Amino acid sequence: NAGVTQTPKFQVLKTGQSMTLQCAQDMNHNSMYWYRQDPGMGLRLIYYSASEGTTDKGEVPNGYNVSRLNKREFSLRLESAAPSQTSVYFCASQSQGFSYEQYFGPGTRLTVT
Amino acid sequence: AQSVAQPEDQVNVAEGNPLTVKCTYSVSGNPYLFWYVQYPNRGLQFLLKYITGDNLVKGSYGFEAEFNKSQTSFHLKKPSALVSDSALYFCAVRDIGDSSYKLIFGSGTRLLVRP
């Protein structure tokens, strides 16, 4: 039981390049989330998927797209990377049952030069 | 709109002393409240939650938190700090009525426990 996994762990991009961050969970959770973490700003929600087949914008969606590929996988795509997207990205998942907490992956550290 | 405030960027405490990390929240309805801890270069780990019931909730590693509805606070406490408690702590809130299950996080408080 790996929990929430993310790939890659580190990535350096040049401005304008694209990439996809991958996230998978093996806990049969319905909801999945993408956050970015910046110093002094806590975690900000980029996109979320309350259930398979649905996605919605969070607080800071500009410059990103997501795909809920199936119940396990939720990917985040940067179509044209900008230096302002330099951040640490976390994926999380949550059951819709009584356990209300979210479970987080180890993060992807992205630098855009 | 939902929000969470962690008024202290850093809390310093000596090992063996009690610690408190402060959190206040704002939601339109009733809250679900959470504390997470982040060690360097790691993801967030769940510590404890308040859903309903007893206002004092106990969690992992000897931490506890007290829900105070009148003061809209959910402060994290530990009777005796350890050096290994040094980490970044996040408070988070969810409005019970929000069917998206979104969490709103505070900006984080760095806890430094000195030997």
Side-chain angles (χ1 to χ4, degrees):
Chain A
N1 189 338
V4 180
T5 57
Q6 292 182 237
T7 56
K9 285 186 167 48
F10 302 94
Q11 185 71 47
V12 179
L13 291 178
K14 295 186 187 302
T15 297
Q17 288 185 318
S18 62
M19 78 162 295
T20 300
L21 282 65
Q22 306 286 354
C23 173
Q25 53 91 9
D26 61 3
M27 296 174 282
N28 201 36
H29 285 170
N30 292 316
S31 302
M32 297 186 73
Y33 306 82
W34 276 106
Y35 295 92
R36 60 178 289 173
Q37 183 181 23
D38 302 293
M41 303 190 73
L43 276 76
R44 293 181 293 170
L45 183 65
I46 305 171
Y47 270 93
Y48 66 99
S49 172
S51 61
E52 187 179 356
T54 68
T55 60
D56 284 286
K57 295 178 180 179
E59 182 184 356
V60 289
N62 291 345
Y64 306 94
N65 285 302
V66 291
S67 296
R68 182 76 183 265
L69 303 171
N70 47 55
K71 193 171 185 179
R72 290 187 64 248
E73 299 172 287
F74 188 39
S75 63
L76 178 72
R77 182 159 178 85
L78 287 69
E79 291 291 351
S80 178
S84 61
Q85 295 178 305
T86 293
S87 189
V88 182
Y89 291 85
F90 289 101
C91 178
S93 70
Q94 180 178 337
S95 170
Q96 288 180 353
F98 184 73
S99 174
Y100 297 98
E101 61 266 29
Q102 292 184 8
Y103 295 83
F104 284 79
T108 295
R109 187 173 295 274
L110 175 67
T111 301
V112 183
T113 61
Chain B
Q2 302 169 59
S3 65
V4 176
Q6 293 182 242
E8 302 153 316
D9 290 336
Q10 183 162 313
V11 170
N12 299 306
V13 64
E15 188 173 33
N17 284 357
L19 70 88
T20 298
V21 182
K22 295 179 181 177
C23 171
T24 59
Y25 66 90
S26 174
V27 296
S28 56
N30 290 317
Y32 293 147
L33 293 155
F34 305 84
W35 276 102
Y36 286 83
V37 60
Q38 184 181 32
Y39 298 101
N41 301 312
R42 303 288 296 275
L44 275 69
Q45 296 179 30
F46 169 74
L47 273 182
L48 51 79
K49 65 187 175 190
Y50 171 81
I51 303 298
T52 187
D54 194 347
N55 289 343
L56 184 65
V57 294
K58 295 185 184 298
S60 307
Y61 313 122
F63 284 93
E64 58 190 28
E66 186 166 13
F67 171 60
N68 187 318
K69 188 171 184 178
S70 63
Q71 297 186 4
T72 61
S73 66
F74 189 57
H75 301 331
L76 181 70
K77 300 181 180 185
K78 188 174 182 182
S80 178
L82 300 172
V83 172
S84 57
D85 293 330
S86 297
L88 188 56
Y89 291 80
F90 290 97
C91 182
V93 67
R94 181 191 138 197
D95 189 322
I96 288 177
D98 184 353
S99 60
S100 72
Y101 309 104
K102 289 182 294 186
L103 290 182
I104 304 300
F105 285 85
S107 55
T109 298
R110 188 165 301 281
L111 174 66
L112 182 60
V113 182
R114 59 185 184 276

